[in-house]
């Protein structure tokens, strides 16, 4: 692994608390990590361990007034937790993109695929002409493995299978060449063969587009296949982190050992 | 396009079934129109002669087919009471009701949709709370009361129009318009309130959906998400209500036509029922059925245009 060890995202003491009950509930507790250029970083942990919350915080999708956020998330010298909305929006979709677990519902049912593919360009690259956007959309769709892109461009989400929709999501998220792609359990809703294809696609995006990926998953075997480094979370805290192989070969925490032992011994 | 033709065919069939049902119903409940017209003191000979003249002696199905043939060729029969062709009688009423309905409908959209958008956008805010309370109040006022209230405030106090002083369009277009504003408001207000409430709820529901989160993740502003993504989705359920409202309004708002003394369809229908003037009643009810069916068809078509998921057959 001879990547330039250039840090593009730095998370320091990230803490997230809900205040909608009598006692504040801390769902992310003093999380620290860095993401390097073109790195794939996995986050694993049991359900409710705060993986999605951390991801949403980085993507700027948590409602700031509904919960209390502390610590800092540094991107490009800017703290995403405290910078103004406009600054944050200028990164969203252009530098930092996110895809979600449910490709079925993550696309707008009333908009054509092409229109949704191009949205990041319409928002962040107003200098582009319609024709340029169209060309870029077609090229991106082809790149994420959507054949017959011209036809697909005019179709609606309900006409596509789950795997195709997730490809559309990935294409739409990466069309503006973001530096970071956050993928929150992107394959959980898909069946196994499609899962493998999506993983291969993410790897391709990582290599060709030089996009760093924050890959969140329940599935440790996927994390092992895909990620350079891994973070293990439990109850909102990071309990273990390191190079993927090392963590898998020599887990230090009993929690991590238990997670690893729970992997079904079936090779994909 | 084949879909449209098919729907039009169904529509015609529905109208015929409706008319048949009405015919039978009138036959079942009917007192004798001849007696009603001539009074109970009339001699049997005169009654018989009138029945003959009105074609009431033929068997039911013959009368029905006579009527149906006329209906399909545009002849709606003759009013028992006014001895005028029903068509001429209604020709002056339908445009009035039609205009009032369309005018009200425009008001419903112009008031209800922006209010729904605003309260949905700023849900939980102070303005939202105030508007929603007003909405609730407006929705619970019965139309006759709001009609009287509007007459009183705008007519008696502010002298913006003369209550009851309906001016036909043919006499003075400006006077007609300025008179119609007030009944239109009376009809539109509760429906606009309902539209706003529905749209607000629908927006809040859509705002919680996954595609909204995706839209934010691409760098959209709140307004960008609202207008490019949420609005169209949120509007779909409201469309059904708007269609129903328009159909109701086109059928005629009895109370408002009475309160504001407007010679529209509802007034005519009510008078004709009182007079047992069945040809007029039948034609008026057919108008209502026609309006409801046409609007339903239009709403259906609109859904197919707006929502690609329903366009699949
Ligand atoms: N509105 C809320 N109020 C209070 N607690 C919440 C709220 N939303 C989420 N939580 C809590 O935050 C914690 C972290 O949730 P998060 O979605 O980050 O978990 P996760 O690690 O992504 O789990 P999963 O693997 O199931 O997706 C959970 O315990 C959840 O119950
Ligand atoms: Mg999650």
């Amino acid at each position: 692994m001879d990547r330039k060890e250039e840090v593009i995202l730095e998370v320091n003491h990230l803490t997230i608390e809900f205040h909608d009950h009598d006692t504040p509930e801390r769902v992310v507790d003093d999380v620290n990590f860095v993401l390097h250029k073109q790195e794939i970083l996995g986050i694993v942990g049991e359900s409710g361990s705060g993986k999605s919350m951390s991801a949403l915080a980085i993507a700027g999708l948590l409602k700031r007034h509904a919960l209390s956020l502390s610590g800092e998330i540094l991107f490009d010298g800017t703290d995403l937790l405290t910078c103004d909305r406009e600054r944050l929006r200028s990164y969203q979709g252009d530098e930092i993109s996110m895809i979600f677990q449910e490709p079925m519902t993550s696309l707008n049912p009333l908009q054509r695929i092409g229109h949704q593919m191009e949205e990041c360009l319409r928002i962040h690259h107003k200098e582009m002409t319609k024709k340029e956007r169209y060309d870029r959309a077609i090229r991106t769709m082809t790149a994420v493995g959507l054949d017959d892109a011209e036809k697909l461009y005019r179709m609606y989400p309900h006409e596509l299978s789950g795997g195709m929709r997730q490809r559309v999501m990935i294409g739409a998220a990466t069309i503006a060449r973001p530096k970071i792609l956050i993928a929150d359990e992107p394959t959980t809703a898909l069946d196994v063969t499609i899962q493998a294809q999506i993983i291969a696609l993410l790897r391709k995006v990582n290599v060709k587009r030089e996009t760093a990926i924050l890959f969140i998953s329940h599935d440790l075997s996927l994390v092992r296949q895909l990620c350079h480094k891994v973070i293990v979370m439990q109850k909102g805290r990071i309990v273990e982190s390191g190079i993927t192989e090392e963590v898998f070969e020599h887990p230090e925490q009993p929690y991590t050992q238990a997670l690893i032992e729970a992997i079904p011994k079936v090779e994909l | 396009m084949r879909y449209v033709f098919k729907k039009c065919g169904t529509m015609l069939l529905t109208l015929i079934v409706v008319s048949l049902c009405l015919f039978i119903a009138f036959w079942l409940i009917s007192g004798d129109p001849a007696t009603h017209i001539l009074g109970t003191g009339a001699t049997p000979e005169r009654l018989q002669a009138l029945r003959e003249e009105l074609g009431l002696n033929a068997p039911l199905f013959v009368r029905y087919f006579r009527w149906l043939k006329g209906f399909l060729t545009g002849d709606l029969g003759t009013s028992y009471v006014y001895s005028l062709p029903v068509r001429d009688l209604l020709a002056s009423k339908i445009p009035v009701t039609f205009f009032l309905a369309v005018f009200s409908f425009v008001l419903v959209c112009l008031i209800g949709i922006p209010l729904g958008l605003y309260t949905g956008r700023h849900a939980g805010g102070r303005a939202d709370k105030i508007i929603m309370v007003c909405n609730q109040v407006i929705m619970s006022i019965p139309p006759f009361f709001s009609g009287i209230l509007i007459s009183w405030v705008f007519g008696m106090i502010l002298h913006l129009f003369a209550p009851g002083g309906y001016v036909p369009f043919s006499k003075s277009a400006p006077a007609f318009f300025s008179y119609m504003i007030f009944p239109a408001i009376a009809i539109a207000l509760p429906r606009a309130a309902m539209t706003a409430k529905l749209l607000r709820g629908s927006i809040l529901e859509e705002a919680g959906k996954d595609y909204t989160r995706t839209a934010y993740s691409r760098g959209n502003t709140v307004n960008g998400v609202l207008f490019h993504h949420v609005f169209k989705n949120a509007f779909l359920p409201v469309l059904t209500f708007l269609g129903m409202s328009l159909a109701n309004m086109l059928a005629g708002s009895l109370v408002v036509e009475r309160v504001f003394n407007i010679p529209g369809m509802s007034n005519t229908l009510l008078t004709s029922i009182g007079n047992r003037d069945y040809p007029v009643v039948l034609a008026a009810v057919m108008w209502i059925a026609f309006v409801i069916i046409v609007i339903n068809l239009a709403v259906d078509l609109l859904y197919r245009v707006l929502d690609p998921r329903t366009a699949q057959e």
Side-chain angles (χ1 to χ4, degrees), chain A:
Chain A
M1 263 180 274
D2 46 16
R3 272 164 289 107
K4 279 175 253 155
E5 293 290 293
E6 182 190 328
V7 173
I8 54 169
L9 183 80
E10 197 176 329
V11 177
N12 294 322
H13 310 294
L14 177 64
T15 301
I16 303 173
E17 279 177 357
F18 278 99
H19 288 286
D20 47 5
H21 300 293
D22 293 342
T23 49
E25 192 181 345
R26 189 169 281 204
V27 295
V28 174
D29 191 358
D30 193 22
V31 162
N32 301 280
F33 64 86
V34 292
L35 183 65
H36 295 97
K37 188 163 190 253
Q38 220 191 337
E39 179 176 68
I40 306 182
L41 175 64
I43 303 182
V44 299
E46 65 194 355
S47 196
S49 55
K51 307 184 295 290
S52 295
M53 284 294 155
S54 312
L56 291 170
I58 297 167
L61 294 176
L62 291 180
K63 294 204 164 54
R64 289 181 184 180
H65 57 264
L67 28 74
S68 80
L69 293 153
S70 61
E72 50 182 18
I73 299 174
L74 294 174
F75 174 81
D76 202 18
T78 309
D79 180 8
L80 300 182
L81 287 182
T82 53
C83 70
D84 58 85
R85 281 266 147 210
E86 203 168 327
R87 185 71 173 267
L88 179 62
R89 278 198 298 270
S90 76
Y91 293 134
Q92 286 176 323
D94 196 32
E95 302 280 17
I96 302 174
S97 274
M98 184 156 180
I99 59 172
F100 305 93
Q101 177 172 339
E102 274 298 336
M104 293 296 184
T105 53
S106 294
L107 291 163
N108 185 336
L110 302 186
Q111 281 185 3
R112 291 181 199 278
I113 297 299
H115 195 70
Q116 305 194 50
M117 285 290 300
E118 288 174 4
E119 183 162 31
C120 290
L121 300 179
R122 279 198 304 276
I123 293 172
H124 300 288
H125 297 274
K126 297 205 164 69
E127 76 284 355
M128 287 177 80
T129 63
K130 230 177 148 184
K131 178 85 175 71
E132 286 170 334
R133 282 202 304 264
Y134 175 80
D135 290 341
R136 176 85 81 87
I138 296 294
R139 255 185 294 135
T140 309
M141 286 164 83
T142 311
V144 295
L146 291 165
D147 303 326
D148 213 354
E150 275 99 359
K151 190 171 155 223
L152 227 60
Y153 186 91
R154 303 195 48 76
M155 285 167 67
Y156 289 96
H158 71 273
E159 299 171 279
L160 274 57
S161 68
M164 285 165 91
R165 284 184 225 188
Q166 198 60 292
R167 285 175 192 273
V168 169
M169 283 296 290
I170 294 172
T174 55
I175 193 165
R177 313 258 156 89
K179 294 201 177 72
I180 301 172
L181 175 65
I182 302 166
D184 189 358
E185 311 204 29
T187 61
T188 310
L190 305 173
D191 65 48
V192 181
T193 38
I194 310 293
Q195 223 176 54
Q197 292 170 11
I198 296 294
I199 295 300
L201 174 60
L202 287 175
R203 193 179 283 128
K204 181 178 155 192
V205 167
N206 172 249
V207 174
K208 289 217 169 139
R209 293 280 171 82
E210 308 194 347
T211 305
I213 299 178
L214 200 59
F215 182 79
I216 296 168
S217 183
H218 273 127
D219 188 332
L220 271 74
S221 64
L222 285 183
V223 170
R224 190 168 190 176
Q225 285 174 51
L226 182 69
C227 301
H228 307 124
K229 286 189 186 158
V230 64
I231 288 172
V232 183
M233 285 186 73
Q234 182 188 20
K235 294 191 184 127
R237 292 178 155 274
I238 294 184
V239 291
E240 187 158 0
S241 67
I243 309 284
T244 309
E245 271 317 299
E246 287 171 14
V247 171
F248 274 79
E249 294 297 332
H250 310 287
E252 281 170 15
Q253 298 290 325
Y255 177 70
T256 313
Q257 282 165 15
L259 282 179
I260 291 170
E261 272 157 26
I263 303 176
K265 295 276 179 286
V266 187
E267 281 303 307
L268 284 181

Side-chain angles (χ1 to χ4, degrees), chain B:
Chain B
M1 270 306 99
R2 247 189 47 223
Y3 173 81
V4 180
F5 280 120
K6 223 175 79 191
K7 278 281 178 176
C8 286
T10 326
M11 189 173 109
L12 200 65
L13 207 69
T14 317
L15 280 178
I16 290 174
V17 171
V18 167
S19 67
L20 186 61
C21 293
L22 279 170
F23 228 85
I24 293 172
F26 287 155
W27 175 68
L28 286 175
I29 60 169
S30 122
D32 181 14
T35 321
H36 190 80
I37 295 168
L38 294 176
T40 34
T43 61
E45 293 77 36
R46 288 197 57 201
L47 283 175
Q48 192 53 35
L50 184 62
R51 283 197 199 105
E52 197 60 50
E53 192 192 321
L54 297 177
L56 293 173
N57 285 332
L60 181 69
F61 72 93
V62 174
R63 280 162 56 199
Y64 177 68
F65 280 108
R66 235 184 248 158
W67 178 87
L68 185 63
K69 194 175 144 233
F71 177 75
L72 292 176
T73 53
D75 175 11
L76 300 173
T78 308
S79 160
Y80 294 162
V81 176
Y82 303 105
S83 304
L84 277 171
V86 174
R87 208 169 55 162
D88 297 351
L89 202 66
L90 296 185
S92 64
K93 317 284 184 194
I94 289 184
V96 174
T97 293
F98 188 81
F99 174 79
L100 186 58
V102 171
F103 196 10
S104 312
F105 183 70
V106 170
L107 286 180
V108 169
C109 294
L110 285 184
I111 301 170
I113 294 175
L115 266 187
L117 272 170
Y118 181 83
T119 50
R121 164 81 169 77
H122 300 280
R126 190 175 301 158
D128 169 48
K129 279 179 191 146
I130 295 172
I131 293 172
M132 289 324 282
V133 170
C134 295
N135 250 2
Q136 208 65 45
V137 172
I138 288 171
M139 273 189 283
S140 51
I141 298 178
F144 81 88
F145 188 69
S146 61
I148 291 170
L149 207 63
I150 287 172
S151 292
W152 184 59
V153 173
F154 292 102
M156 314 292 225
I157 298 180
L158 299 173
H159 298 291
L160 291 177
F161 77 117
Y166 169 79
V167 186
F169 181 78
S170 52
K171 222 182 228 168
S172 157
F176 172 75
F177 287 128
S178 55
Y179 185 81
M180 289 302 242
I181 292 173
F182 301 97
I185 291 175
I187 295 174
L189 270 185
R191 299 178 204 274
M194 190 65 198
T195 304
K197 189 184 151 97
L198 283 175
L199 184 58
R200 175 185 184 271
S202 188
I203 284 175
L204 291 183
E205 192 182 324
E206 294 296 324
K209 292 200 172 161
D210 288 354
Y211 72 84
T212 312
R213 191 180 52 187
T214 307
Y216 279 115
S217 82
R218 292 179 187 154
N220 272 297
T221 59
V222 178
N223 283 338
V225 173
L226 183 61
F227 289 107
H228 294 312
H229 292 275
V230 168
F231 178 63
K232 205 171 158 194
N233 280 285
F235 186 69
L236 287 179
V238 181
L239 186 60
T240 308
F241 173 75
L242 285 177
M244 255 168 47
S245 295
L246 181 59
N248 279 338
M249 293 187 286
L250 282 170
S253 318
L254 180 61
V255 174
V256 172
E257 284 187 12
R258 279 271 137 134
V259 170
F260 288 89
N261 192 26
I262 294 166
M265 287 298 282
S266 294
N267 255 335
T268 309
L269 179 59
L270 199 71
T271 315
S272 306
I273 292 174
N275 290 339
R276 289 169 210 261
D277 196 350
Y278 292 129
V280 180
V281 175
L282 201 59
V285 175
M286 288 305 281
W287 158 256
I288 294 174
F290 173 76
V291 159
I292 290 175
I293 293 171
V294 167
I295 298 287
N296 268 333
L297 177 67
V299 168
D300 255 27
L301 287 175
L302 251 177
Y303 265 111
R304 295 165 68 87
V305 172
L306 293 177
D307 188 348
R309 288 165 297 185
T310 53
Q312 286 188 319
E313 259 162 302

